Amino acid sequence: MTTRSCPCGRPESYAACCGRFHTGPATAPTAEALMRSRYSAFVVGDAGYLLRTWHPGTRPGRLDLDPGTRWTGLEILGTTDGSAFHRTGTVTFRASYRGGSLHERSRFERVDGAWVYVDGDFPDE
């Protein structure tokens, strides 16, 4: 990631990309955009955004982020559904951090018109 690009890997600045979802009234238009914005929230330590974009039925009461984790990149491996025309979608991704990576298939739903993270599983490599 350059200082000019968003942590999610898109070439736009953080403010023009995921930052606008973190700080403003805009919501992610697709499940993939929400996944990218949630990854960026982990990078910048925005636990409030992560909780706000978590499905109310699966959201934890609190979220403690490890300040020692250094996220280093996001790779989207695949998506199903998750557009403005769908109610649900999945995003399979690999998020790298210093010392390892996390491979997850995340499930998303629309609640009151906004995409939220439901849960995920860890597919076999």
Side-chain angles (χ1 to χ4, degrees):
M1 177 182 92
T2 68
T3 57
R4 303 179 77 163
S5 64
C6 188
C8 80
R10 298 271 189 209
E12 296 86 8
S13 70
Y14 168 74
C17 192
C18 294
R20 66 193 169 111
F21 303 134
H22 295 175
T23 62
T27 60
T30 65
E32 180 181 340
L34 181 63
M35 173 61 240
R36 289 180 176 278
S37 71
R38 286 177 57 84
Y39 170 81
S40 291
F42 276 101
V43 172
V44 301
D46 189 344
Y49 179 78
L50 293 166
L51 289 170
R52 286 191 309 276
T53 58
W54 209 310
H55 191 282
T58 58
R59 179 187 310 134
R62 59 182 274 168
L63 183 62
D64 296 318
L65 301 178
D66 181 354
T69 301
R70 296 291 175 244
W71 296 98
T72 59
L74 176 66
E75 179 184 8
I76 301 297
L77 303 173
T79 62
T80 57
D81 299 336
S83 77
F85 303 104
H86 299 109
R87 259 191 53 69
T88 63
T90 65
V91 179
T92 303
F93 67 93
R94 180 171 287 110
S96 299
Y97 55 89
R98 200 171 292 153
S101 68
L102 170 71
H103 183 196
E104 182 177 315
R105 181 177 32 251
S106 296
R107 291 187 323 119
F108 298 89
E109 287 183 14
R110 290 169 71 92
V111 173
D112 298 329
W115 285 105
V116 293
Y117 170 78
V118 176
D119 60 18
D121 59 38
F122 305 101
D124 294 333
E125 295 287 333

